[in-house]
Amino acid sequence: MKPFEGKVAIVTGAARGIGRAIAERLARDGADVVICDLQAEWLAETAGAVQAMGRKALPLAVDVGDGESVAACVAETIRVFGRVDVMVNNAGITKDTLLVRMTDEAWDDVLRVNLKGTFLFTRAVAKPMMKQRGGAIVNIASVSGILGTPGQANYAASKAGVIALTKSTANELAARGVRANAVAPGFISSRMTDALSDDVRNQYLSRIPLGRFGTAEDIADAVAFLASGQSSYLTGQVLHVNGGMVM
């Protein structure tokens, strides 16, 4: 039997990039997947990829920073599938600039999506998971939330918050059989990182002992491990996937 056979997973930011790779990996391992994103034009593509693997897909346009939108997504998941077993909080944005130039809007927007969105979905799935007495929450953090990155005060703060939220969630929900862990990617090739200049990309590459940037599939593999029964004795942990950039 596949590790997620009979399981239902919600993945945010799943229309493209890392989120899509996660959705496809979970589907390949047997999960039915709720695909959440604001990029409605790409939702159908990811849903089609999941369905091509013989799994059910439920594409939903969701604003992760809006409590009503998040609650409606989880309610629809329960209505359609009757359960939720895996929650992957992947949705994230960047609005990079130096601290002294950062606007209130740039700060608020990044914290709203990256941190508040993770909180809202975690809160929304906690009750059905506790009722089931089982579930796995996997939050996507970042090496920036550990080291801090110049020009990313908002992003680094949001991801450090995600790590702290993960640990608090793990402590609160463990007694009901619900685990919460985080994946902290390093430099992963994605639409966000592709926007960086060649100079910045080369600076990061020089700091990676394995000598390459990560892929979306590297992160999907880590998420699949933390969401599966293979990590049943892991909770409140941060899995660093960075090619040795942080040891």
Side-chain angles (χ1 to χ4, degrees):
M1 180 180 290
K2 295 181 178 180
F4 297 107
E5 195 75 38
K7 304 291 187 180
V8 177
I10 299 175
V11 183
T12 67
R16 298 181 71 186
I18 291 172
R20 176 168 177 169
I22 292 169
E24 291 182 1
R25 173 57 192 270
L26 296 178
R28 187 162 58 249
D29 285 350
D32 295 324
V33 186
V34 181
I35 302 158
C36 305
D37 208 296
L38 276 180
Q39 303 296 331
E41 63 269 32
W42 293 305
L43 278 172
E45 293 183 14
T46 305
V50 168
Q51 291 165 343
M53 297 176 194
R55 310 313 310 171
K56 296 177 182 176
L58 178 62
L60 296 174
V62 180
D63 177 359
V64 300
D66 180 80
E68 291 184 0
S69 182
V70 170
C73 170
V74 175
E76 182 67 1
T77 300
I78 299 300
R79 187 190 71 81
V80 172
F81 295 110
R83 61 187 300 113
V84 56
D85 302 283
V86 176
M87 177 73 236
V88 182
N89 286 300
N90 166 74
I93 64 170
T94 58
K95 289 194 174 183
D96 296 350
T97 190
L98 294 175
L99 177 66
V100 295
R101 297 176 183 170
M102 188 170 292
T103 64
D104 291 359
E105 180 182 16
W107 175 272
D108 291 343
D109 288 349
V110 170
L111 270 290
R112 178 182 184 274
V113 173
N114 298 4
L115 182 54
K116 184 180 180 182
T118 300
F119 158 71
L120 290 174
F121 259 107
T122 298
R123 184 179 66 180
V125 301
K127 287 185 179 179
M129 285 184 172
M130 287 191 295
K131 185 176 181 180
Q132 294 166 190
R133 301 197 70 83
I137 298 167
V138 183
N139 299 326
I140 305 301
S142 170
V143 67
S144 293
I146 298 159
L147 293 179
T149 307
Q152 288 194 317
N154 49 3
Y155 185 77
S158 72
K159 293 303 186 177
V162 165
I163 291 171
L165 173 61
T166 300
K167 292 177 180 293
S168 290
T169 301
N171 267 304
E172 289 191 23
L173 303 186
R176 296 296 185 92
V178 180
R179 299 182 299 109
N181 292 288
V183 175
F187 196 101
I188 307 298
S189 296
S190 70
R191 66 182 187 214
M192 287 197 301
T193 56
D194 288 345
L196 297 174
S197 69
D198 288 342
D199 285 345
V200 173
R201 289 169 63 86
N202 289 334
Q203 287 174 19
Y204 278 110
L205 186 58
S206 69
R207 297 168 58 190
I208 301 173
L210 285 181
R212 69 170 178 88
F213 301 137
T215 67
E217 288 70 28
D218 291 325
I219 305 307
D221 289 344
V223 169
F225 167 68
L226 289 176
S228 75
Q230 291 181 314
S231 62
S232 62
Y233 200 51
L234 291 178
T235 195
Q237 303 304 305
V238 182
L239 180 58
H240 299 273
V241 185
N242 56 46
M245 186 176 175
V246 176
M247 296 187 182

